[in-house]
Amino acid sequence: MRSMWKGAIGFGLVSIPVKLYSATEEHGVSLHQVHAADGGRIRMRRSCEKCGKEVAYADIAKGYDDGTGRTAVLTDADLTELPLPSKKLIDVLAFVDAGDIDPLALSRAYYVGAEAAAAKPYVLLREALVKTGKAAVTKIALRTRESLALLRVHEDVLVLHTMLWPDEIRSASGLAPSEKVTVRPQELKMAESLMETLSEDFDLAAQHDEYQHALDELVAAKLEGEPIPEMAETAAAPDNVVDLMSALQASIDARAPAPAAPTAKKAAPKKKAAAKKAAARKKAG
């Protein structure tokens, strides 16, 4: 696995040299735009709206429009000079209870690998986090942008999750039902029963992207000039719920295992004994 960042974890006077590795990868078929009539590739050309000329990528800079017609042009050299206090450093700000961080704030995940000479301080930090149930809130600069990040333990490896800044998380105010809703105890119990039923024998590792699988089959068929495979129909989502209790019960019934087939009944003890006596008399006579 190839590292994408090299630096150090710093807290107090402790410095732990580490590397970051992408912890996730997305699978999928890479699609691009083509001319439907002949399959020719559609190319997007970079052109300047002022002079109309095509612009080479090396001549493109970044700009900010203030909304009044003024544009601030920012070159790579300008951006390089901006101060980044946490550059090449995972700067630990504080240790918090792991459960206090809302997953809504988490973004990308990276495995944190230790340099050979940093094995002991790496393990010491890892074990301290495990024992205390804590995670570290840090700052880090990745790709010229500084962000908050959460450092936690996954199995026997430290994992770094980049985080959104607090003001980047939108308020959920006004999205919950506005009217007062009363949930009866029996409705809550039925919902809990459905939750248990749905969770029986669930294996997260066995889940897969059915859309991606169907897309792979479609692309393969198109490339080989074969007939398009039949696709499974997608069940329509229910558009309303008239009776909540009935819907909950129907959901539970739909998940219940089919009854076992009836088995032949064993002969009653008295009948077995009578049959043995009759066979003995017949043999003696």
Side-chain angles (χ1 to χ4, degrees), residues 52-110:
K53 296 180 180 179
E54 187 173 346
V55 181
Y57 188 79
D59 296 329
I60 295 177
K62 292 180 172 61
Y64 174 80
D65 187 345
D66 69 352
T68 66
R70 298 186 305 171
T71 300
V73 178
L74 306 175
T75 66
D76 290 342
D78 293 329
L79 298 174
T80 302
E81 294 300 319
L82 292 176
L84 283 175
S86 55
K87 198 170 186 179
K88 295 299 178 185
L89 177 68
I90 301 172
D91 187 16
V92 175
L93 305 178
F95 293 93
V96 300
D97 290 335
D100 289 346
I101 302 298
D102 192 325
L104 189 65
L106 302 181
S107 184
R108 301 186 69 88
Y110 302 90

Side-chain angles (χ1 to χ4, degrees), residues 114-135:
E115 296 282 14
K120 187 167 184 176
Y122 182 98
V123 172
L124 177 61
L125 175 59
R126 184 190 69 193
E127 296 306 307
L129 292 176
V130 171
K131 184 176 181 180
T132 60
K134 300 285 186 179

Side-chain angles (χ1 to χ4, degrees), residues 2 22 28 41 45 59 102 123 128 149 163 167 169 220 222 236 245 255 279:
R2 186 177 180 180
S22 293
R41 187 76 176 264
R45 301 186 183 278
D59 296 329
D102 192 325
V123 172
M163 299 173 62
D167 61 356
I169 300 176
K222 289 278 189 176
M245 292 295 287
R255 299 284 301 185

Side-chain angles (χ1 to χ4, degrees), residues 124-232:
L124 177 61
L125 175 59
R126 184 190 69 193
E127 296 306 307
L129 292 176
V130 171
K131 184 176 181 180
T132 60
K134 300 285 186 179
V137 176
T138 72
K139 273 187 178 182
I140 185 174
L142 291 174
R143 300 183 182 90
T144 71
R145 184 188 177 190
E146 187 177 55
S147 73
L148 287 173
L150 186 73
L151 189 65
R152 69 178 185 88
V153 178
H154 170 71
E155 297 178 351
D156 60 347
V157 178
L158 293 176
V159 175
L160 187 82
H161 295 269
T162 53
M163 299 173 62
L164 300 173
W165 295 98
D167 61 356
E168 292 179 320
I169 300 176
R170 293 178 174 178
S171 170
S173 177
L175 299 181
S178 56
E179 68 276 7
K180 187 175 181 180
V181 178
T182 301
V183 177
R184 294 179 294 170
Q186 56 267 42
E187 292 173 333
L188 185 58
K189 186 175 181 180
M190 189 73 77
E192 292 173 352
S193 179
L194 176 57
M195 290 167 63
E196 291 179 2
T197 303
L198 289 172
S199 304
E200 290 176 355
D201 302 322
F202 175 74
D203 183 7
L204 181 59
Q207 303 305 306
H208 63 277
D209 187 345
E210 295 182 6
Y211 174 85
Q212 185 60 51
H213 178 70
L215 178 59
D216 291 342
E217 290 188 336
L218 176 61
V219 170
K222 289 278 189 176
L223 291 174
E224 299 298 330
E226 298 176 352
I228 296 175
E230 292 186 9
M231 302 297 174

